[in-house]
Amino acid sequence: MIIHLKKNINKILAKEIAEKYQAVELINENKIILITPYSVKKIDEKYNEHVDNSWIFDSDIQLASKKYFPSTREIKIGKFAIGGKNRNTLVIIGPCGVESKEQIQQTAEFIKECGLHTLRAGSFKPRTSPYSFQGMGIEGLKLLAEMRDKYGFPIVSEVRDSSHADIVIEYSDVIQIGAKAMYDHGILRKCGKTNKPILLKRGFGSTLQEFVQAAEFILSGGNGNVILCERGIRTFETKSRFTLDLCGVAYLKENINLPIILDPSHAMGYAYGVPDLARACMAMDVEGLLIEVHPDPKAAKSDASQQLNHEQFKKLFETLKPIAKAVGRTIV
Ligand code: PEP
Ligand code: MN
């Protein structure tokens, strides 16, 4: 249950209600909001005079539910916003990881040439093997910050674990929580304490319920700027790296008030399939696409097989434009 308490409520009384119903307390515009477990369907009548408004739910998808806030939340990224009333689709490109100044500089130039505005690259990479490239760490974040200063692009970068969450939050404009980190409560809680947008990727073994509940940790921590990213889930199929769950996206669009970004690159795992999938993603009428692009994919230190080179992306980009138009969206 979400309970909006009246502005003038005595703080001690608010605490009493919160404790009685095991509620998480959230302050928004000087208003106290209580979020109880969904099993609470009503509170004692004696508190009614202190309640402004309340909502009941059939699961712990609460703050993210369209039953609570009926449209997609607006989130500002750089000079553009996604969600809300606008119809922007943010096309985010960049390599899997920052590898060198030259590589990230070439990428930034390419983004500018395409007329796009956002640069994404990981610098703390969550790899499946301890023996592969783990990212440049803080040095990579500094290179990304240099590109932001030079080109004005907002930077999207990934936090791998909570030990370096503060530094990634400090350097990035959008903080990516990767699929493997979706359950890391240290990260989720730290991301709840900043106002910067959080790009939360779906764990590849997570249900939609678990995915959105991970977002609820950030939302109930006080950060309303959460974007959901579908990047493929594990199924019995082995011919592609993962399976992009577009049915799940339809569910999220219908029921959840958070903007959605789709990542065809990690879902497919092979560059040959990325353009067709990216077009399908654009046709899903979502707030953003995330596509891995590298100046020389063969030489990439991570996710080499799925990254598009600049020529391949350019060709794809031209075909995304009419699809965006057909679904009434503007690419930014
Ligand atoms: C990435 O975005 O480069 C990445 C590691 O993705 P995921 O967390 O979806 O595997
Ligand atoms: Mn990657």
Side-chain angles (χ1 to χ4, degrees):
M1 192 173 181
I2 298 180
I3 305 158
H4 283 200
L5 295 174
K6 287 197 171 145
K7 263 195 175 149
N8 58 2
I9 191 171
N10 174 311
K11 291 223 164 55
I12 297 168
L13 180 60
K15 247 212 161 39
E16 176 188 313
I17 306 174
E19 274 171 20
K20 182 161 177 178
Y21 297 100
Q22 257 191 69
V24 173
E25 208 177 304
L26 179 63
I27 313 280
N28 191 11
E29 289 167 4
N30 293 327
K31 217 184 207 174
I32 302 177
I33 299 174
L34 301 181
I35 308 123
T36 74
Y38 81 93
S39 52
V40 177
K41 305 292 184 193
K42 62 179 176 46
I43 58 169
D44 201 313
E45 276 178 14
K46 73 178 179 194
Y47 299 125
N48 280 356
E49 61 180 301
H50 304 289
V51 173
D52 233 357
N53 208 346
S54 64
W55 294 259
I56 55 171
F57 299 92
D58 53 13
S59 86
D60 273 338
I61 294 179
Q62 302 196 55
L63 293 166
S65 170
K66 279 195 169 161
K67 279 189 203 148
Y68 173 57
F69 184 75
S71 48
T72 306
R73 291 171 189 241
E74 181 172 279
I75 299 184
K76 237 182 144 270
I77 298 170
K79 57 183 177 179
F80 296 102
I82 55 170
K85 286 202 171 57
N86 75 72
R87 299 280 300 155
N88 290 335
T89 293
L90 188 70
V91 173
I92 305 172
I93 62 172
C96 183
V98 193
E99 296 168 359
S100 66
K101 176 152 182 182
E102 193 194 4
Q103 172 233 29
I104 212 68
Q105 169 87 50
Q106 280 177 317
T107 304
E109 273 299 322
F110 181 62
I111 292 171
K112 189 174 150 198
E113 188 187 318
C114 292
L116 291 172
H117 307 93
T118 316
L119 169 61
R120 189 210 80 119
S123 206
F124 291 89
K125 298 303 302 175
R127 306 307 302 283
T128 36
S129 164
Y131 312 120
S132 39
F133 176 62
Q134 306 292 307
M136 288 180 73
I138 174 77
E139 292 314 312
L141 290 179
K142 285 182 182 160
L143 289 177
L144 288 170
E146 221 180 296
M147 295 306 124
R148 171 181 42 222
D149 293 346
K150 185 161 172 196
Y151 295 88
F153 301 147
I155 299 298
V156 185
S157 201
E158 171 173 16
V159 50
R160 182 179 60 212
D161 62 66
S162 54
S163 68
H164 57 260
D166 293 328
I167 191 96
V168 177
I169 291 170
E170 183 191 330
Y171 274 87
S172 314
D173 301 292
V174 177
I175 295 97
Q176 176 178 318
I177 303 177
K180 296 182 193 105
M182 190 203 88
Y183 284 115
D184 185 323
H185 286 213
I187 296 178
L188 294 174
R189 286 180 196 280
K190 283 203 165 171
C191 287
K193 294 293 162 227
T194 171
N195 280 328
K196 291 188 175 178
I198 309 297
L199 180 66
L200 177 66
K201 287 188 149 199
R202 180 181 182 182
F204 49 74
S206 306
T207 63
L208 292 165
Q209 182 75 33
E210 290 161 340
F211 181 28
V212 182
Q213 279 183 198
E216 291 274 339
F217 274 95
I218 306 169
L219 298 169
S220 64
N223 186 356
N225 298 312
V226 182
I227 303 158
L228 298 178
C229 179
E230 162 62 33
R231 47 75 75 208
I233 52 173
R234 177 142 288 156
T235 65
F236 52 80
E237 189 51 72
T238 57
K239 301 293 186 205
S240 57
R241 192 177 181 195
F242 295 97
T243 297
L244 193 62
D245 182 12
L246 295 184
C247 297
V249 173
Y251 165 85
L252 296 172
K253 283 182 62 178
E254 181 70 12
N255 296 287
I256 304 301
N257 62 37
L258 306 175
I260 301 167
I261 288 185
L262 297 185
D263 170 358
S265 301
H266 291 85
M268 184 66 208
Y270 302 100
Y272 77 84
V274 170
D276 281 345
L277 273 177
R279 285 185 281 271
C281 289
M282 185 59 87
M284 287 299 290
D285 185 14
V286 288
E287 284 69 37
L289 260 57
L290 190 165
I291 300 169
E292 282 195 339
V293 174
H294 191 288
D296 182 9
K298 283 187 301 303
K301 292 184 175 167
S302 57
D303 287 348
S305 59
Q306 70 195 29
Q307 304 196 60
L308 302 183
N309 66 30
H310 291 181
E311 271 322 295
Q312 289 168 322
F313 178 78
K314 238 182 180 165
K315 216 168 128 204
L316 160 64
F317 192 42
E318 287 312 307
T319 68
L320 289 177
K321 291 174 184 173
I323 302 171
K325 195 162 171 228
V327 295
R329 292 230 167 225
T330 307
I331 293 176
V332 294

